């Protein structure tokens, strides 16, 4: 069965600084990988996804992620964080069947 | 186009009661999945329905059931509510079954007292 680990529970970053959120997955074959963002009291919004092809994926809101098979990782990055990026971020893996398996999430706090 | 919609937005029930949550998928999407998100955790898969049939089930007790209607909307039912059922229930829709991009609704927050 597939699983996801997000090692960082909470990250604090200054506005304008860069951000990197870590995601490690466990799955025997090529996974489908997703990053979602959740603002307080809200549902999940898709930031980006990786199915195949170019391992550097561009998403919405200036986010990008890189799939590294050798490290079983799919880290999310943003060059310059805005205050509105404060939220909880979830990495998820799909294994070709019907469900997504999510990590526990990383809460991002942006300080002025 | 409207996204995934869910109703109600909030719900308070007492232990032992029954609850029905509703979901309308994005127009044209035929698959609906349900997830439970307990506070401080990531969402956990409950069910997927495609073309009105259950296509997958997560590790949840039989108190949880669901169905999908001819218009592809879906209901999640939970019987004999427990305090531990308090959570945000998320519905996601996708075009087809299998590994498609899932688009999530705003969720229904259920509090069991």
């Amino acid at each position: 069965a597939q699983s996801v680990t997000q090692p960082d529970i909470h990250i604090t970053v200054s506005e304008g600084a860069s951000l990197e959120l870590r995601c490690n997955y466990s799955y025997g074959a090529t996974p489908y990988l997703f990053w979602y963002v959740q603002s307080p009291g809200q549902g999940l919004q898709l930031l980006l996804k990786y199915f195949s092809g170019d391992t550097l994926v561009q998403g919405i809101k200036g986010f990008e992620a890189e799939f590294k098979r050798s490290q079983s990782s799919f880290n999310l990055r943003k060059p310059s964080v805005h205050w509105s990026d404060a939220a909880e971020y979830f990495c998820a893996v799909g294994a070709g069947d019907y469900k997504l398996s999510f990590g526990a999430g990383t809460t991002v706090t942006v300080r002025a | 186009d409207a996204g995934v919609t869910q109703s109600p937005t909030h719900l308070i029930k007492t232990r032992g009661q029954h609850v029905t949550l509703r979901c309308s998928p994005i127009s044209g999407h035929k698959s609906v999945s349900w997830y439970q998100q307990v506070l401080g955790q990531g969402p956990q898969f409950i069910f997927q329905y495609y073309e009105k049939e259950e296509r997958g089930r997560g590790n949840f007790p039989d108190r949880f059931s669901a169905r999908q209607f001819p218009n592809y909307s879906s209901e999640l039912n939970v019987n004999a509510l427990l305090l531990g059922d308090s959570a945000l229930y998320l519905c996601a829709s996708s075009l087809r079954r299998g590994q498609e991009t899932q688009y999530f609704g705003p969720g229904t927050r259920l509090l069991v007292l």
Side-chain angles (χ1 to χ4, degrees), chain A residues 32 36 38 49 97-98 100, chain B residues 35 37 48 98-99 101-102:
Chain A
Y32 298 85
Y36 287 88
Q38 186 176 39
K49 61 187 177 184
D97 56 4
Y98 42 81
L100 293 177
Chain B
Y35 291 80
Q37 186 180 19
Q48 185 182 83
Q99 206 44 255
T101 300
Q102 296 186 23

Side-chain angles (χ1 to χ4, degrees), chain B residues 32-108:
Chain B
V32 169
S33 299
W34 287 95
Y35 291 80
Q36 180 196 64
Q37 186 180 19
V38 173
L39 196 62
Q41 298 180 19
Q44 297 291 318
F45 173 77
I46 310 175
F47 287 111
Q48 185 182 83
Y49 275 77
Y50 175 70
E51 291 287 11
K52 302 178 287 295
E53 292 189 13
E54 181 182 306
R55 301 293 184 168
R57 184 186 182 109
N59 188 25
F60 280 81
D62 292 343
R63 299 185 296 108
F64 288 77
S65 64
R67 55 179 176 168
Q68 187 177 32
F69 299 99
N71 66 353
Y72 302 109
S73 67
S74 177
E75 284 182 354
L76 175 69
N77 296 284
V78 187
N79 292 324
L81 285 167
L82 304 174
L83 297 180
D85 295 331
S86 296
L88 180 67
Y89 288 86
L90 295 163
C91 173
S93 78
S94 56
L95 275 172
R96 295 174 289 271
R97 67 164 302 188
Q99 206 44 255
E100 294 275 339
T101 300
Q102 296 186 23
Y103 298 90
F104 285 80
T108 294

Side-chain angles (χ1 to χ4, degrees), chain A residues 39-60:
Chain A
S39 297
Q42 303 296 312
L44 302 175
Q45 181 183 20
L46 179 69
L47 285 176
L48 48 77
K49 61 187 177 184
Y50 173 79
F51 282 11
S52 65
D54 193 348
T55 57
L56 185 62
V57 180
Q58 301 297 320
I60 63 171

Side-chain angles (χ1 to χ4, degrees), chain A residues 43-80:
Chain A
L44 302 175
Q45 181 183 20
L46 179 69
L47 285 176
L48 48 77
K49 61 187 177 184
Y50 173 79
F51 282 11
S52 65
D54 193 348
T55 57
L56 185 62
V57 180
Q58 301 297 320
I60 63 171
K61 302 185 179 186
F63 284 93
E64 66 176 27
E66 186 172 12
F67 170 59
K68 293 186 177 180
R69 184 189 303 275
S70 62
Q71 299 177 19
S72 297
S73 69
F74 188 57
N75 294 348
L76 182 71
R77 298 192 293 257
K78 185 169 184 176
S80 178

